[in-house]
Amino acid sequence: MLDKLERVPADVILGLAAACRADPNPDKVDLTVGIYMDEQGRCPVFDAVREAQRTLVAEELTKAYMSPAGDEAFLQGMGRLVLGEGSQALRDRRVGSVQAPGGCGALRLGAEIIRVAAPDARVWVSNPTWPNHFPLLSSVGLVFETYRYYEASDHTVDFDGMVEDLRRATVGDVVLLHGCCHNPCGADLTLEQWGVIAGMAERQGFTPFIDFAYQGLGDGIEQDAAGLRLMVERVPEVIIAASCSKNMGLYRERAGIALFVCRDEVNAQALVSQALVVGRRIYSMPPAHGALLAGRVLSSEALTVSWRAELDAMCQRIQGLRSSLRRKLEDKSGGDFGFIEREKGMFSFLGLSVEQALRLRSEYSVYMLDSSRINIAGVNDHNVDYLAAAVAAVL
Ligand code: LMR
């Protein structure tokens, strides 16, 4: 039976990261997976997380299953972090929250719930979107529609195109939005544009589903949540998949949360019960360690202060890398790379052809996705000149 199965290609992002790891060229540049890397090319452990881990390991008395809904400190802390300290929806107790195995696990929980609530739901995704959205959401049987989002010719959001396409989204449809730091293009909606989409959701009755994986890495923790919070204020039902992978550096620990903002408390509890049934069916219990660490950080004032400061520094460093990459690329190529400075978070498209991206890989050991999506956080003072010269050479 099993011998009928053929080898399939690796995931586009993870496969390229593996190819880069295997490349012996000492000058190689890894701009593949969305991981924050410091000047030395290391993905650091936050000080606050290290401290939380030290106390957790010292105090932990059991490895018995945790509650299927997850760690209470994590759920409470994440609710406040994502929705804001003063969130009316939290005060009204109409947010059902369930811990999940990373942001992907939260997306999958959301998708499963959508499928139960509206089996014929169409999920509207931006063009482009994170490649893994398709297998993650389609594996539960949801069908896709795409809406225009990124105008590659001038590296801006094609907001008119987006609005025109989303006019066709109706009650029972779901619109997947990137909460901030759009993956893969880095071009975000303005707050005003969030307001327009919120108005459409109110009038047309579609449900916003917000993938929120990069809070704190665009403009700052509160600023990055502004669009999402506006949506929650105005639209009675919103699903959010949030993650601590990037903003707490808990990538491998798989700490995520699905937040179901509902019309009332009774409905929120119903959603939690549904999500627990789904979770039990696909992975039984959420992993504990990462969420326990995040819960400790978010429930300690001292650790929160330390974590926020470190995250703010990362955010500012990414902005600095955007400026320096722009400058170097413009110096070396004479082209206009101003968009790199305007875009947010870890990703931008360099605007290269597939052939150019492939040449960068084969001739210079510079690894980016075929679409020329780069992880800005893979740039550093040591590789920026080499990278800019290589890009200029293939242009
Ligand atoms: C990325 O887009 O590189 C990250 O979200 C990591 C991943 O799992 O693909």
Side-chain angles (χ1 to χ4, degrees):
M1 173 186 87
L2 299 181
D3 59 356
K4 292 198 199 76
L5 296 182
E6 286 173 6
R7 191 181 174 124
V8 289
D11 172 85
V12 285
I13 298 174
L14 306 183
L16 268 179
C20 183
R21 274 197 302 278
D23 187 333
N25 184 347
D27 294 328
K28 68 187 174 185
V29 182
D30 184 356
L31 307 175
T32 59
V33 190
I35 285 180
Y36 178 85
M37 285 177 274
D38 63 15
E39 265 313 296
Q40 283 67 46
R42 280 187 306 249
C43 177
V45 179
F46 280 74
D47 288 344
V49 168
R50 199 183 290 286
E51 178 57 17
Q53 184 158 265
R54 194 184 62 74
T55 59
L56 175 65
V57 168
E59 291 164 16
E60 195 169 48
L61 295 176
T62 180
K63 289 287 185 188
Y65 296 124
M66 62 198 307
S67 142
D71 174 54
E72 202 45 42
F74 175 74
L75 298 174
Q76 299 284 333
M78 287 297 285
R80 289 193 306 271
L81 178 68
V82 171
L83 298 171
E85 292 289 340
S87 161
Q88 189 59 44
L90 284 178
R91 276 208 295 269
D92 294 344
R93 306 171 69 85
R94 56 185 185 85
V95 183
S97 37
V98 177
Q99 188 184 312
C104 277
L107 284 166
R108 176 67 187 258
L109 279 184
E112 295 264 359
I113 293 294
I114 292 161
R115 176 89 170 136
V116 175
D120 298 326
R122 299 177 297 176
V123 180
W124 292 78
V125 292
S126 60
N127 181 19
T129 195
W130 181 47
N132 206 32
H133 278 148
F134 293 103
L136 248 179
L137 305 184
S138 67
S139 56
V140 306
L142 296 171
V143 294
F144 293 98
E145 293 275 351
T146 52
Y147 59 87
R148 277 170 282 173
Y149 186 79
Y150 188 63
E151 179 48 58
S153 61
D154 59 1
H155 301 272
T156 56
V157 174
D158 175 7
F159 192 63
D160 291 344
M162 177 178 183
V163 167
E164 199 179 313
D165 291 342
L166 289 182
R167 283 211 184 96
R168 292 190 290 119
T170 58
V171 178
D173 280 354
V174 174
V175 174
L176 186 67
L177 299 159
H178 296 232
C180 64
C181 308
H182 189 281
N183 181 3
C185 69
D188 282 348
L189 298 178
T190 63
L191 198 55
E192 199 186 342
Q193 290 169 335
W194 276 96
V196 173
I197 304 299
M200 293 175 75
E202 279 178 297
R203 282 190 305 280
Q204 296 169 218
F206 61 75
T207 304
F209 185 5
I210 304 179
D211 185 351
F212 201 39
Y214 294 89
Q215 184 180 8
L217 290 157
D219 285 323
I221 295 176
E222 306 304 325
Q223 298 92 319
D224 289 349
L228 174 153
R229 292 177 188 168
L230 182 149
M231 189 66 83
V232 168
E233 263 169 38
R234 299 215 2 217
V235 182
E237 294 184 346
V238 180
I239 306 173
I240 300 161
S243 162
C244 297
S245 293
K246 326 279 173 172
N247 61 12
M248 263 192 219
L250 289 170
Y251 305 85
R252 63 174 61 175
E253 305 294 359
R254 314 311 297 137
I257 185 169
L259 296 157
F260 300 95
V261 181
C262 299
R263 287 175 197 273
D264 57 36
E265 184 178 354
V266 173
N267 193 219
Q269 286 169 1
L271 263 288
V272 170
S273 73
Q274 292 273 352
L276 295 186
V277 169
V278 168
R280 179 69 169 153
R281 188 172 72 228
I282 53 183
Y283 54 76
S284 197
M285 308 284 173
H289 192 69
L292 290 174
L293 298 180
R296 280 182 179 235
V297 170
L298 294 172
S299 58
S300 147
E301 201 182 324
L303 293 184
T304 297
V305 167
S306 155
W307 165 66
R308 280 185 173 247
E310 207 171 341
L311 180 58
D312 284 347
M314 276 184 184
C315 182
Q316 279 156 25
R317 181 163 169 272
I318 289 175
Q319 290 168 357
L321 290 173
R322 285 186 169 279
S323 305
S324 91
L325 180 61
R326 174 209 176 158
R327 255 194 336 272
K328 302 275 181 185
L329 283 170
E330 291 186 347
D331 286 353
K332 302 259 190 234
S333 73
D336 174 8
F337 286 90
F339 64 89
I340 294 181
E341 241 178 314
R342 291 192 294 275
E343 292 172 351
K344 309 281 180 200
M346 286 195 183
F347 306 114
S348 278
F349 287 126
L350 279 186
L352 308 181
S353 66
V354 175
E355 289 70 33
Q356 288 166 329
L358 294 178
R359 272 190 66 198
L360 280 169
R361 210 176 294 156
S362 60
E363 293 175 27
Y364 299 91
S365 296
V366 171
Y367 289 77
M368 61 186 66
L369 305 196
D370 290 358
S371 59
S372 82
R373 185 198 84 168
I374 59 167
N375 172 18
I376 302 278
V379 180
N380 57 48
D381 286 349
H382 310 293
N383 65 21
V384 67
D385 285 301
Y386 176 77
L387 169 62
V391 171
V394 303
L395 274 174

